[in-house]
Amino acid sequence: MDMAYLLDILGNENRRNILTLLSYRPCYVTEISEELKVSPKAIIDHLKILEDAGLVESFYDQQRRKYYEIANNVRIEVSISPLMFRVNVSRVDIEADEQKMLHDKYAEEVALKKDLEYSLKHLYEEFQRLNRSSIELQEAQRSVQGMMSEITGMCIDIINEIAADQIEAELLYMLVRGPTSYDEIVSRLHIPDNVARSELAKLMKRGLLTYEKGLWSIA
Amino acid sequence: MDMAYLLDILGNENRRNILTLLSYRPCYVTEISEELKVSPKAIIDHLKILEDAGLVESFYDQQRRKYYEIANNVRIEVSISPLMFRVNVSRVDIEADEQKMLHDKYAEEVALKKDLEYSLKHLYEEFQRLNRSSIELQEAQRSVQGMMSEITGMCIDIINEIAADQIEAELLYMLVRGPTSYDEIVSRLHIPDNVARSELAKLMKRGLLTYEKGLWSIA
């Protein structure tokens, strides 16, 4: 799943509204069109884009009416900070062991239809518990991002002190973010091959860089 | 910070490319324009949008050249799954105690310029450690999202069994996602006031719902 493609898709308000509607229940075109006050033609175009991206799929009910629903479990995380712009897209698939755990915990009583109302309340509590975990994880993630940004800032200050020239500084800025391949270094810094090689060798001699498995990094 | 506005901004490839460039170092318009092969006029327009959103800010260097840099620490999380479409935007601010902790740990030696190269390596290790934490948190978050999606699915199955009619089912679908106000229920389900009131009263009598602090929820 391509992050640029997904952000393009989510960058449209009507498509976001369609996803919100479908997250409540499957809908057909006329319903969506009336709800959002957007022409059926435009809704069909948006649904086509969402379907091509694999986010939405369709099925027919007994009356042969075509319904759309959200098809995929996707997570997108965007971090923006003075020294970082990172977009992370991942498919969410529930692990087999988690699925088994959930099954052991609830699915059996549900299957037996023993006491469905009781099971519903039980599941609802579990949902709320997971929701709280999710919020806690978000807070932890925010705190980690804040600390990463703070540390990168300190690194940049040090680099500005110790770098002999601008090229050396930019090289170190780049490597402080993580191991980088030679090709990426050359293409991002727009420097000739021989300059890159001599700069890297110089910094390696100073004991600041290492080269391992095709990647340059801070020693 | 408005989530719709931010997704609109990130839904443009040139703006994403500008943020990527600026995450490496501050740049001026001509640099960005040449790097991205986009006209300076268009770059200026994009920078204006990014600046208005508070994501980018500008400063002047000694030669009175105007530079742009990323101004803000923002985190956006989008969860898409068959029963959920949720966008979460948060500003990342490093907590005072974390800042103090980082300061105690590193800033002093950096300030003393005791051994800058040593400090750089030290900070780099810390950055890598945080990066690993961030990846672990992402995985935990994915797993929680998967389980929430699985549980909502089970809830929907139960609701389909126990609901007396379509309105009751839609009401329960909605409340299974979390406590909801009366106004939101009425406006989302498009049902008249008296119908909503009688449905809610019926479900409350069955012991399925409770009403507290202006919000309806599963009991």
Side-chain angles (χ1 to χ4, degrees):
Chain A
M1 188 123 2
D2 182 30
M3 81 87 177
Y5 189 34
L6 272 180
L7 286 178
D8 285 345
I9 286 176
L10 296 176
N12 177 289
E13 198 187 346
N14 283 327
R15 287 195 287 264
R16 290 195 299 268
N17 289 337
I18 292 175
L19 287 172
T20 303
L21 271 188
L22 297 182
S23 76
Y24 281 90
R25 58 183 175 80
C27 296
Y28 49 91
V29 171
T30 324
E31 260 181 316
I32 304 173
S33 157
E34 282 169 6
E35 180 78 25
L36 303 184
K37 297 179 183 56
V38 173
S39 75
K41 165 86 182 64
I43 296 294
I44 289 168
D45 290 345
H46 287 310
L47 284 168
K48 171 97 174 62
I49 291 171
L50 290 165
E51 213 172 359
D52 288 346
L55 289 176
V56 151
E57 59 188 14
S58 60
F59 64 91
Y60 289 92
D61 72 352
Q62 290 100 319
Q63 286 87 51
R64 302 281 312 145
R65 187 144 60 179
K66 194 176 187 181
Y67 278 85
Y68 288 85
E69 64 184 350
I70 297 180
N72 231 313
N73 227 327
V74 177
R75 200 175 162 78
I76 306 164
E77 301 190 2
V78 184
S79 314
I80 305 171
S81 65
L83 308 154
M84 175 163 64
F85 175 56
R86 197 150 73 169
V87 182
N88 228 298
V89 174
S90 49
R91 294 181 69 107
V92 177
D93 287 307
I94 183 162
E95 303 279 333
D97 51 343
E98 281 164 2
Q99 192 136 27
K100 190 176 173 315
M101 188 270 280
L102 284 171
H103 188 276
D104 291 352
K105 227 170 150 186
Y106 304 106
E108 211 167 337
E109 60 175 315
V110 173
L112 288 170
K113 296 184 189 172
K114 222 171 50 194
D115 184 346
L116 289 177
E117 295 190 4
Y118 172 78
S119 303
L120 181 64
K121 291 177 190 184
H122 209 145
L123 287 167
Y124 175 73
E125 276 164 26
E126 182 74 10
F127 184 84
Q128 294 301 315
R129 199 185 58 74
L130 288 166
N131 209 8
R132 285 191 295 274
S133 305
S134 172
I135 291 166
E136 280 166 23
L137 288 169
Q138 251 169 54
E139 277 162 14
Q141 193 67 272
R142 264 208 301 280
S143 146
V144 167
Q145 184 181 329
M147 287 168 78
M148 282 170 83
S149 156
E150 193 77 10
I151 292 218
T152 321
M154 291 182 188
C155 289
I156 303 272
D157 290 345
I158 296 184
I159 291 169
N160 291 341
E161 290 281 337
I162 64 174
D165 53 44
Q166 187 59 19
I167 293 179
E168 208 174 286
E170 292 204 14
L171 229 162
L172 289 169
Y173 294 160
M174 184 181 285
L175 294 178
V176 124
R177 286 170 174 80
T180 313
S181 73
Y182 179 77
D183 289 348
E184 211 184 321
I185 293 171
V186 170
S187 85
R188 190 166 275 284
L189 296 187
H190 303 292
I191 47 177
D193 219 55
N194 56 337
V195 176
R197 283 185 199 285
S198 86
E199 289 289 336
L200 287 166
K202 216 166 60 185
L203 287 165
M204 199 176 184
K205 223 177 266 169
R206 272 173 73 183
L208 268 172
L209 301 189
T210 57
Y211 179 78
E212 210 182 329
K213 291 181 197 148
L215 296 173
W216 286 92
S217 60
I218 305 282
Chain B
M1 191 124 358
D2 181 31
M3 82 85 176
Y5 188 33
L6 272 181
L7 285 177
D8 285 345
I9 286 176
L10 296 177
N12 176 288
E13 197 186 347
N14 283 327
R15 288 196 286 267
R16 291 195 299 267
N17 289 337
I18 291 174
L19 287 173
T20 303
L21 270 187
L22 297 183
S23 76
Y24 280 91
R25 59 183 174 81
C27 295
Y28 48 91
V29 171
T30 325
E31 260 180 316
I32 303 173
S33 157
E34 282 168 6
E35 180 78 25
L36 303 184
K37 297 179 182 57
V38 172
S39 76
K41 166 85 182 65
I43 296 293
I44 289 167
D45 291 344
H46 287 310
L47 284 168
K48 172 95 173 63
I49 292 170
L50 290 165
E51 214 172 357
D52 288 346
L55 289 176
V56 151
E57 59 188 14
S58 60
F59 64 92
Y60 290 91
D61 71 353
Q62 290 101 320
Q63 285 88 54
R64 302 282 311 145
R65 187 145 57 177
K66 193 177 188 181
Y67 277 85
Y68 289 86
E69 63 184 350
I70 296 179
N72 231 314
N73 228 327
V74 178
R75 198 172 166 77
I76 306 164
E77 302 191 2
V78 184
S79 314
I80 305 170
S81 65
L83 307 154
M84 175 162 66
F85 175 56
R86 197 150 74 168
V87 182
N88 228 297
V89 174
S90 50
R91 293 181 70 106
V92 178
D93 286 308
I94 182 163
E95 303 279 334
D97 51 343
E98 279 164 4
Q99 191 136 27
K100 191 176 173 314
M101 188 271 280
L102 284 171
H103 188 275
D104 290 353
K105 225 169 152 186
Y106 304 107
E108 212 169 335
E109 62 175 313
V110 173
L112 288 170
K113 296 183 188 170
K114 224 173 48 194
D115 184 346
L116 291 176
E117 295 191 2
Y118 172 76
S119 302
L120 181 64
K121 291 177 190 184
H122 209 145
L123 287 167
Y124 175 74
E125 276 164 26
E126 183 73 9
F127 183 84
Q128 294 302 315
R129 198 186 59 74
L130 289 166
N131 209 8
R132 284 191 297 273
S133 305
S134 173
I135 292 167
E136 279 166 23
L137 287 169
Q138 251 169 53
E139 276 163 15
Q141 194 67 272
R142 263 208 302 280
S143 145
V144 167
Q145 183 181 330
M147 287 168 79
M148 283 170 83
S149 156
E150 193 78 9
I151 292 221
T152 321
M154 291 182 188
C155 289
I156 303 270
D157 289 345
I158 296 184
I159 291 169
N160 290 341
E161 291 281 338
I162 65 174
D165 53 44
Q166 187 60 19
I167 293 179
E168 208 175 286
E170 290 204 16
L171 229 163
L172 289 170
Y173 293 162
M174 186 182 282
L175 294 177
V176 124
R177 288 170 173 79
T180 312
S181 74
Y182 179 77
D183 289 348
E184 210 184 321
I185 292 171
V186 171
S187 85
R188 190 165 276 284
L189 295 187
H190 303 292
I191 47 178
D193 219 53
N194 56 335
V195 176
R197 282 184 200 286
S198 86
E199 290 287 339
L200 288 165
K202 216 168 60 188
L203 287 166
M204 200 176 183
K205 223 176 268 169
R206 273 173 73 182
L208 266 171
L209 301 190
T210 58
Y211 179 77
E212 211 183 329
K213 293 179 195 149
L215 296 173
W216 286 91
S217 58
I218 304 282

